[in-house]
Every structure is written in C-alpha cells, then in structure tokens.
C-alpha cells in the first residue's frame, strides 16, 4: 500500500473513532475547509508534511500514527523517533522556521 493511502486510511480511521467531520478537523487544524475532504476523496494524494502535523495536532494523535510509522520497521530508528518527537513538541510558530531551514538545506544539496 502506498504511503498516501496509508495516511488516508489512518486519517479516516481516527476521524471515525473520534466521531468528527472532515470539515471540523480542517477548521481546527487551520486548513482550508476542504483539506480533509480532498484527502478523503483522493483528490489530494500527497499532503505536505505541515498538513500532516497540523491534522495530527488537531486530532491529538502522533503524526507517526497518521503516517503509519508506528507499524513500520523504520519507526524503530532512534533518530527518526527522536526527530518526530521533537517536531511534534514544537508550536506552529516554532515549526515554520525549522521547516524553512530544512527546505533550504534540501535545495542546497540538490
């Protein structure tokens, strides 16, 4: 199963468990009201990592759960687990400059 489909399935499962609508989670996450609906209906196939973290925060679940990393062998990696934990602990304001720096590093290494 593709990562985007794993994310979609996990997102829908959490929405159903919490009995919340796509629109309400989109609003709570500070996203366009259609954001979750577009994922649900497979119109958004590859959400940005910031979207994943916003939705995880709004749903009060670890981003790793939505991404399916908890069942993945790669989640056993201490570095990955620590990075996910660190990023999850940051506020939205703290995440933005970190993401900008990461994007810049990626651009430089290409």
């Amino acid at each position: 199963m593709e990562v985007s489909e794993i994310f979609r399935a996990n997102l829908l499962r959490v929405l159903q468990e919490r009995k919340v609508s796509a629109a309400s989670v989109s609003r709570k996450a500070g996203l366009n009201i259609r954001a979750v609906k577009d994922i649900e209906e497979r119109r958004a196939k590859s959400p940005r990592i910031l979207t994943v973290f916003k939705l995880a925060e709004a749903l009060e679940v670890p981003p790793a759960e939505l991404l399916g990393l908890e069942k993945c062998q790669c989640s056993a990696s201490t570095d990955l687990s620590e990075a996910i934990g660190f990023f999850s602990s940051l506020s939205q304001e703290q995440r933005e400059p970190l993401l900008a720096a990461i994007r810049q590093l990626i651009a430089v290494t290409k």
Side-chain angles (χ1 to χ4, degrees):
M1 187 183 303
E2 288 185 26
V3 174
S4 60
E5 191 58 30
I6 291 168
F7 171 74
R8 179 185 168 279
N10 288 332
L11 177 62
L12 296 178
R13 176 185 50 77
V14 173
L15 289 172
Q16 186 176 26
E17 288 172 359
R18 301 270 159 77
K19 296 179 171 82
V20 294
S21 71
S24 68
V25 171
S26 293
R27 277 192 299 275
K28 185 175 180 183
L31 301 169
N32 179 299
I33 197 165
R34 294 270 323 151
V36 175
K37 201 70 174 161
D38 286 347
I39 294 166
E40 184 177 56
E41 296 172 359
R42 294 183 175 94
R43 283 192 296 273
K45 293 196 183 234
S46 183
R48 295 182 346 191
I49 191 69
L50 184 57
T51 300
V52 173
F53 276 87
K54 285 181 175 185
L55 291 172
E57 187 174 339
L59 290 165
E60 300 175 359
V61 297
E65 181 178 341
L66 291 180
L67 293 168
L69 295 176
E70 292 176 339
K71 297 174 188 161
C72 174
Q73 290 179 343
C74 61
S75 68
S77 163
T78 303
D79 291 340
L80 179 60
S81 296
E82 286 179 24
I84 290 170
F86 171 73
F87 197 82
S88 298
S89 72
L90 299 175
S91 70
Q92 184 61 37
E93 293 77 31
Q94 293 169 318
R95 289 178 190 169
E96 290 296 334
L98 179 58
L99 285 172
I102 292 169
R103 286 185 194 107
Q104 191 171 14
L105 285 170
I106 292 168
V108 169
T109 59
K110 284 185 176 180

